[in-house]
Amino acid sequence: MITPEYCQTMARYNAWQNDGLRKIVAEMDTDALTKDRGAFFGSIFKTLNHLLWGDAIWISRFDGGEGPDPSISESVDFTPTPAVWAADRFRMDARITLWAQSVSAIDLVGDQTWYSFAAGREMSKPKSLCVMQLFNHQTHHRGQVHAMLTSIGISPNDTDLPFMPE
């Protein structure tokens, strides 16, 4: 279904997009970041926190490293400040990139099994589907952030894969 090259490309895309968001967040005031804008998670900052939390959950399942303690309901408060979010986001993007660079085709075969606190039960799905979920979840929530930013007159970077820097 997917290949190591897909994982590497999407990890690079993820880092590129988040680099642009880190720069935007650094220039925004806290009130603009935390204002409820009617999105699923409310504010830009809460959405970015949930996205970082989701990345931490999924990558811990793939690389066997540490995952977050908070539940999904606490994901919106995953980091306390924009500066902490930016540092943690940078480290998470590096972690995802390192995993993608080391993943092999055989690593993407078979099932991924984990306990889902959201579903309240053990889950098992094809690994390739779970990896696709990691990258799809990122794109979905960054799209929400993009919409919130453009609604207040801030233009994020281009999001089209063909325009990703080499």
Side-chain angles (χ1 to χ4, degrees):
M1 183 182 279
I2 61 172
T3 65
E5 292 80 17
Y6 166 85
C7 298
Q8 293 157 15
T9 298
M10 293 307 292
R12 200 163 51 89
Y13 176 76
N14 173 63
W16 171 52
Q17 289 296 299
N18 287 329
D19 182 55
L21 288 175
R22 274 195 317 278
K23 291 172 184 170
I24 289 170
V25 166
E27 295 177 6
M28 292 180 72
D29 66 46
T30 303
D31 288 341
L33 279 170
T34 58
K35 180 180 178 181
D36 189 328
R37 299 187 184 282
F40 188 81
F41 291 107
S43 72
I44 293 167
F45 190 57
K46 286 183 177 187
T47 303
L48 290 171
N49 262 330
H50 170 77
L51 175 52
L52 178 61
W53 173 88
D55 284 354
I57 286 281
W58 281 109
I59 199 65
S60 71
R61 294 172 182 156
F62 304 145
D63 71 6
E66 186 176 337
D69 289 331
S71 68
I72 194 168
S73 64
E74 298 168 326
S75 67
V76 296
D77 298 315
F78 192 53
T79 64
T81 66
V84 173
W85 170 83
D88 287 356
R89 179 75 266 174
F90 182 80
R91 283 189 292 276
M92 181 58 60
D93 292 344
R95 181 176 173 184
I96 292 168
T97 298
L98 285 172
W99 169 81
Q101 289 171 344
S102 67
V103 75
S104 67
I106 197 70
D107 294 329
L108 302 170
V109 175
D111 287 340
Q112 181 77 44
T113 301
W114 73 98
Y115 184 84
S116 169
F117 286 96
R121 63 184 170 86
E122 186 172 273
M123 305 269 305
S124 189
K125 297 288 180 182
K127 287 180 186 178
S128 58
L129 181 73
C130 294
V131 171
M132 289 169 50
Q133 169 60 19
L134 166 72
F135 295 120
N136 186 66
H137 185 257
Q138 295 167 346
T139 301
H140 168 68
H141 288 302
R142 273 196 307 265
Q144 292 173 326
V145 170
H146 190 281
M148 288 186 276
L149 290 171
T150 57
S151 76
I152 59 173
I154 298 173
S155 298
N157 291 345
D158 195 337
T159 60
D160 296 328
L161 280 162
F163 300 112
M164 180 171 51
E166 291 296 325

